Amino acid sequence: MRASDEMTIGNLARRTGLAVSAIRYYEEQGLIHPERNSGGQRRFRRSDIRRLSFVKIAQQFGYTLPKIATLMATLPEGRTPTKRDWEKISRSFRRTLDEQIQTLEQMRDNLDGCIGCGCLSLKKCRLYNDQDRAARLGPGPRYMMGDRPGDLD
Amino acid sequence: MRASDEMTIGNLARRTGLAVSAIRYYEEQGLIHPERNSGGQRRFRRSDIRRLSFVKIAQQFGYTLPKIATLMATLPEGRTPTKRDWEKISRSFRRTLDEQIQTLEQMRDNLDGCIGCGCLSLKKCRLYNDQDRAARLGPGPRYMMGDRPGDLD
DNA sequence: TCTTGACCTAAAGTTAGCTTGAGGAATTAC
DNA sequence: GTAATTCCTCAAGCTAACTTTAGGTCAAGA
């Protein structure tokens, strides 16, 4: 066995910090495609370390495994990804990250408005109204937080 | 039945945009404490609309139901929360929100560094190294992304 | 060779936050 | 009074991303 290029699952687990069971699960989900030796045991390439590390990072960005799988489909299995490969993906990361940050910042701004008003004057409150707007798609709430047309402020 | 202050579960569902089953579940989790009428059916107060709206908002901030329950434990069941009640909680919201934003911004900065370097030169890469640091608590990865001591850059 | 440790599959369990289904009782509308 | 709603409980199911368990097989070292 050319030890330089083949790894057992336990070895890969140690190198990536993942559990053996997680690696098997990732194979099941199509994220990696190890070969088998004559005895039926999985044998991994060194590039699988890279792939699994990529999975971990993408997960930190909030990607689901299916999404990660499609992202990785654009990456080469065997060779080191080129700068161009990586740039495409990292731009996608950057976009979702920016969106996430923007969402949180908007929530923060809304919240700040509410702190100022004590959030007892709810007809104007952004936090509730933003929610309201989303909910209106369904049979959702007409008047949030107990306020009704005639309610006092 | 004094309709002004008692609501059926279906009514509350319509007013909050929640599913009936979700409201029952929230009761089970101790987020609301409706009374029962003679026939054993739940009867809710108008203030429960407020409580459930609060639950929805806190969920948007990423709080789990148990955490929301403890947050709400500081709120009065019957009366309208005071400005002071609200300020305490909104400060807590603000803190977690700030932390979340900071985490994402750090990830973005790391990512930007990686875009610049093409992320092929991985010994310096923040994205991987931050992950590495976290993983080192366990038996984690020694060399991430396939890099080994002797590997070329 | 024998033993130990690593590996295999398949199925079931885990957590959060609910939804769905079964079987039945209470309420409301006419 | 009766039919249509709405409500009730309890148990099971759902999704994601894994882990755990059970019952074996394979590989490596002395």
Side-chain angles (χ1 to χ4, degrees):
Chain A
M1 63 200 85
R2 53 183 72 82
S4 66
D5 235 34
E6 299 212 318
M7 253 181 302
T8 65
I9 196 168
N11 238 297
L12 181 58
R14 253 164 270 125
R15 303 278 300 263
T16 57
L18 290 167
V20 165
S21 58
I23 296 176
R24 292 206 190 97
Y25 179 73
Y26 291 154
E27 181 190 1
E28 217 176 296
Q29 301 305 304
L31 298 175
I32 41 177
H33 308 97
E35 291 173 359
R36 303 292 179 123
N37 73 357
S38 58
Q41 299 196 348
R42 291 170 181 81
R43 287 297 178 263
F44 297 86
R45 316 191 208 184
R46 239 152 42 71
S47 63
D48 287 326
I49 302 179
R50 198 183 283 270
R51 287 179 77 83
L52 290 185
S53 299
F54 181 85
V55 170
K56 291 176 86 175
I57 288 164
Q59 279 186 315
Q60 288 182 38
F61 284 103
Y63 286 81
T64 63
L65 294 185
K67 271 178 197 155
I68 295 172
T70 63
L71 267 187
M72 288 213 303
T74 75
L75 285 179
E77 280 268 338
R79 66 169 170 82
T80 297
T82 66
K83 190 161 182 164
R84 192 160 287 283
D85 289 331
W86 170 251
E87 274 180 5
K88 203 173 149 201
I89 286 185
S90 57
R91 256 196 296 278
S92 160
F93 278 168
R94 176 70 203 239
R95 263 196 305 278
T96 34
L97 213 41
D98 283 344
E99 280 164 25
Q100 286 169 14
I101 291 172
Q102 216 186 323
T103 302
L104 290 184
E105 279 174 350
Q106 201 190 324
M107 285 178 77
R108 184 180 57 188
D109 293 346
N110 290 348
L111 181 61
D112 283 350
C114 275
I115 292 174
C117 71
C119 220
L120 298 171
S121 186
L122 291 164
K123 279 166 201 153
K124 316 164 203 155
C125 178
R126 279 272 166 166
L127 271 181
Y128 294 106
N129 292 335
D130 280 5
Q131 219 204 175
D132 202 23
R133 231 171 285 144
R136 259 184 220 287
L137 296 174
R142 272 304 150 258
Y143 310 105
M144 301 294 288
M145 295 292 279
D147 288 325
R148 290 187 311 182
D151 276 5
L152 289 168
D153 210 350
Chain B
M1 65 200 85
R2 53 182 72 81
S4 67
D5 234 35
E6 301 213 316
M7 254 181 303
T8 65
I9 196 169
N11 238 297
L12 182 58
R14 254 165 269 126
R15 302 275 302 263
T16 57
L18 290 167
V20 165
S21 58
I23 296 176
R24 291 206 190 97
Y25 180 72
Y26 291 154
E27 182 190 358
E28 217 176 297
Q29 301 304 304
L31 298 175
I32 40 176
H33 307 96
E35 291 173 2
R36 302 295 178 121
N37 73 356
S38 57
Q41 298 195 351
R42 291 170 182 83
R43 287 298 178 262
F44 298 86
R45 317 190 207 184
R46 237 150 46 67
S47 64
D48 288 326
I49 300 179
R50 197 184 285 270
R51 286 179 78 84
L52 290 185
S53 298
F54 181 84
V55 170
K56 290 175 86 175
I57 288 165
Q59 279 185 313
Q60 289 183 37
F61 283 104
Y63 286 81
T64 63
L65 294 187
K67 271 178 198 154
I68 294 171
T70 62
L71 266 188
M72 287 214 300
T74 75
L75 285 179
E77 280 268 338
R79 68 172 170 79
T80 297
T82 65
K83 190 160 183 166
R84 192 159 287 285
D85 289 330
W86 170 252
E87 273 180 5
K88 202 174 152 202
I89 286 185
S90 58
R91 255 197 295 277
S92 161
F93 278 167
R94 177 68 203 242
R95 262 196 305 278
T96 34
L97 211 41
D98 283 344
E99 280 164 25
Q100 287 170 14
I101 291 173
Q102 216 186 322
T103 302
L104 289 183
E105 278 174 352
Q106 201 190 326
M107 285 178 77
R108 184 180 57 189
D109 293 346
N110 289 348
L111 180 60
D112 284 349
C114 274
I115 292 175
C117 73
C119 219
L120 298 171
S121 186
L122 291 165
K123 279 165 204 155
K124 317 165 203 154
C125 178
R126 280 272 166 166
L127 272 182
Y128 295 107
N129 292 335
D130 279 5
Q131 217 203 176
D132 203 23
R133 233 170 285 144
R136 259 184 219 286
L137 297 174
R142 275 300 151 262
Y143 310 103
M144 300 293 288
M145 293 293 280
D147 287 323
R148 290 186 312 181
D151 277 4
L152 288 169
D153 210 351

